[in-house]
Amino acid sequence: DTEVTQTPKHLVMGMTNKKSLKCEQHMGHRAMYWYKQKAKKPPELMFVYSYEKLSINESVPSRFSPECPNSSLLNLHLHALQPEDSALYLCASSQEDTETYEQYFGPGTRLTVT
Amino acid sequence: LAKTTQPISMDSYEGQEVNITCSHNNIATNDYITWYQQFPSQGPRFIIQGYKTKVTNEVASLFIPADRKSSTLSLPRVSLSDTAVYYCLVGPLYGQNFVFGPGTRLSVLP
């Protein structure tokens, strides 16, 4: 199984809502990532978890809160978002300590903030 | 992290070979070059990775000159389904801080 799954596929939320994005992989990967991608732009790294510990936080606003409950799951909790946060949110995973610079990406969650 | 530059867009016809060049003048000694493909509304997909000379797999070839300041992704005999954005990334093998360049939007025409 070389698949990363993300739910929901689409999400519309108001600026006062609280919602969560979910990501799951069963490849035994120990690194998991969140990216944000605006239309016609490259993905931008937000967070990296390595062995279930947050290892990289790219100065993301606190209205985005990541969580890694176990090595297969990654959540992104959203609260008080702004319309400019509307984007495709991508989750990815990768092996640690292997001779490949390869990440496996999920299909993304299309988020619209109204 | 080495900054990369790529052409913004390219057009090709079905059956042709497509070469996309990426410039990375400040590549570090321990940096590798990796290419990803992304279709609309999908996550990027790993294509190929290399350090020097030439790497080939079932999908593409990657050519890296001796000075490693650039690299070329070669797609043989493209089809309409190869229409996508292609990203060049440069970084250390065990690095986690992926920085995607601007990407090249390839359009394959019938």
Side-chain angles (χ1 to χ4, degrees):
Chain A
D1 182 7
T2 59
E3 190 179 20
V4 175
T5 59
Q6 291 188 243
T7 54
K9 284 190 176 181
H10 302 275
L11 177 63
V12 179
M13 60 185 291
M15 290 190 284
T16 58
N17 291 159
K18 284 185 180 181
K19 297 286 185 182
S20 294
L21 309 184
K22 181 179 175 180
C23 173
E24 193 165 3
Q25 58 87 16
H26 296 287
M27 294 177 278
H29 291 171
R30 302 312 299 267
M32 296 186 76
Y33 311 75
W34 280 115
Y35 289 85
K36 172 183 177 180
Q37 186 174 28
K38 303 283 273 185
K40 298 191 184 302
K41 296 290 186 183
E44 297 177 19
L45 184 66
M46 299 174 72
F47 302 104
V48 180
Y49 272 84
S50 179
Y51 290 90
E52 301 161 45
K53 293 188 187 310
L54 184 65
S55 62
I56 294 178
N57 176 342
E58 292 289 352
S59 302
V60 178
S62 59
R63 58 185 183 269
F64 295 91
S65 175
E67 178 195 19
C68 189
N70 60 57
S71 60
S72 299
L73 284 175
L74 187 65
N75 298 320
L76 186 63
H77 303 298
L78 314 172
H79 173 56
L81 295 192
Q82 304 297 309
E84 60 264 29
D85 296 322
S86 298
L88 180 69
Y89 287 84
L90 294 161
C91 173
S93 69
S94 68
Q95 293 273 24
E96 290 283 273
D97 300 331
T98 61
E99 292 185 2
T100 178
Y101 196 55
E102 178 175 0
Q103 290 189 351
Y104 292 79
F105 283 81
T109 294
R110 177 76 58 189
L111 174 68
T112 302
V113 181
T114 61
Chain B
L1 290 167
K3 182 179 177 181
T4 60
T5 56
Q6 306 173 230
I8 293 174
S9 63
M10 294 180 69
D11 290 337
S12 181
Y13 291 95
E14 279 192 293
Q16 289 188 331
E17 178 184 73
V18 171
N19 295 310
I20 306 174
T21 297
C22 178
S23 296
H24 28 80
N25 290 319
N26 59 339
I27 188 169
T29 304
N30 60 341
D31 283 346
Y32 281 68
I33 299 148
T34 310
W35 286 80
Y36 279 78
Q37 174 193 56
Q38 187 177 25
F39 297 114
S41 297
Q42 293 188 27
R45 184 175 72 103
F46 175 92
I47 301 176
I48 198 166
Q49 178 186 77
Y51 183 80
K52 62 180 179 180
T53 62
K54 178 184 174 182
V55 180
T56 297
N57 61 23
E58 64 277 7
V59 176
S61 294
L62 179 59
F63 298 93
I64 306 167
D67 66 6
R68 303 198 331 120
K69 292 185 183 299
S70 66
S71 57
T72 299
L73 174 72
S74 181
L75 305 172
R77 298 180 297 282
V78 294
S79 64
L80 296 176
S81 63
D82 292 317
T83 294
V85 178
Y86 292 82
Y87 294 103
C88 168
L89 288 80
V90 174
L93 192 60
Y94 300 123
Q96 295 177 331
N97 196 349
F98 273 46
V99 178
F100 283 80
T104 297
R105 193 169 298 273
L106 173 65
S107 297
V108 180
L109 308 172

